[in-house]
Amino acid sequence: MSWLSGYRRLHPRYERGPRNYLAFLGLAAALCCYKRLVRLTP
């Protein structure tokens, strides 16, 4: 969860609908995983 704290859109919940919030949450998680994978790959 601490990795997701860097995304402004998720910190205070700007999105009113749970569907949009979950979409942004999934996108942020995918970006975190991608950045970590790129950093670990030589």
Side-chain angles (χ1 to χ4, degrees):
M1 290 304 289
S2 65
W3 293 344
L4 297 176
S5 65
Y7 293 93
R8 288 186 323 150
R9 191 87 175 171
L10 295 176
H11 186 57
R13 190 168 169 191
Y14 289 121
E15 296 300 325
R16 295 181 188 268
R19 195 174 188 184
N20 290 343
Y21 180 74
L22 289 176
F24 279 116
L25 186 64
L27 183 62
L31 285 172
C32 285
C33 291
Y34 176 73
K35 287 179 183 179
R36 187 166 173 88
L37 180 66
V38 167
R39 189 175 54 190
L40 293 177
T41 306

